[in-house]
Amino acid sequence: MIRKAINDDIEIILKIFDVSRNYMKNNGNPTQWPDSNYPNIDIIKADILNGNLYIVERDGKVAACFSFILGEDSTYANIYDGEWLNNNAYGTIHRLASLGITGGIFEEVFKYCADMMDEIRIDTHKNNTKLRKKLIENGFLECGVIFVEDGTERIAYHYSRCNSSNK
């Protein structure tokens, strides 16, 4: 089940991000979320306030969280070494993280988001091979490179329900 996050979820969300940071660090991706300052409590509170933060529950327990933001994302305004599949309205998945207690989280999140929008964009660090594989398996296409707020490079992906090469 997926539901919107509320302020009472902040403690478990912080734990999810800590678990994910450690997982990335110990599995070849130490620089995507290199310190405990990202994602931080201010980002979490803003996402909750804006209605963009979601909780994934399994068997009544929190298993993961993610942000799904509808509309243009300024981070995606410029793409290098490629191009977006189209300029249609889209939603963006950000800060997808899990406690690692159950599988199939990405697929559930993707289905949830795809039920809301035909176009979805997401980015990740080049060393996040697990997510990059999941993206391709679920019909996302690698479109190029973007730079996030801190100036670091991310690989940008785009899913378009209308694109015949997607699932």
Side-chain angles (χ1 to χ4, degrees):
M1 177 184 101
I2 294 179
R3 64 171 174 81
K4 290 214 177 194
I6 59 174
N7 285 329
D8 288 348
D9 296 316
I10 290 174
E11 187 176 321
I12 190 69
I13 292 167
L14 288 168
K15 180 179 179 182
I16 291 168
F17 288 145
D18 283 342
V19 167
S20 291
R21 261 187 229 92
N22 286 330
Y23 178 86
M24 286 190 278
K25 185 167 68 171
N26 294 324
N27 287 277
N29 187 16
T31 60
Q32 185 166 343
W33 292 353
D35 58 49
S36 61
N37 196 34
Y38 185 87
N40 61 40
I41 196 159
D42 293 333
I43 291 169
I44 293 167
K45 286 180 177 179
D47 275 349
I48 290 172
L49 182 66
N50 292 322
N52 299 328
L53 188 55
Y54 295 84
I55 295 292
V56 180
E57 289 185 352
R58 296 280 174 84
D59 299 322
K61 295 180 183 173
V62 174
C65 64
F66 66 98
S67 295
F68 188 56
I69 302 166
L70 302 177
E72 290 191 25
D73 185 323
S74 61
T75 306
Y76 293 170
N78 297 306
I79 188 167
Y80 304 91
D81 299 327
E83 61 186 8
W84 297 113
L85 299 177
N86 58 51
N87 292 317
N88 298 345
Y90 62 92
T92 306
I93 299 172
H94 282 298
R95 298 178 282 285
L96 174 60
S98 110
L99 288 171
I101 58 175
T102 184
I105 296 291
F106 179 80
E107 290 78 9
E108 186 175 351
V109 167
F110 170 60
K111 182 183 180 324
Y112 184 86
C113 295
D115 284 347
M116 280 197 264
M117 289 294 292
D118 289 341
E119 307 285 334
I120 300 172
R121 295 180 184 180
I122 190 171
D123 64 86
T124 193
H125 195 279
K126 66 182 176 182
N127 293 331
N128 194 341
T129 55
K130 184 175 180 181
L131 179 57
R132 292 180 70 193
K133 181 179 179 194
K134 289 277 185 197
L135 291 168
I136 298 300
E137 288 172 352
N138 285 276
F140 283 79
L141 298 175
E142 186 176 315
C143 291
V145 173
I146 58 112
F147 292 88
V148 294
E149 192 174 305
D150 70 3
T152 58
E153 181 179 296
R154 298 290 186 270
I155 307 300
Y157 291 84
H158 189 165
Y159 170 85
S160 175
R161 189 181 317 276
C162 301
N163 187 322
S164 62
S165 61
N166 289 134
K167 285 184 167 182

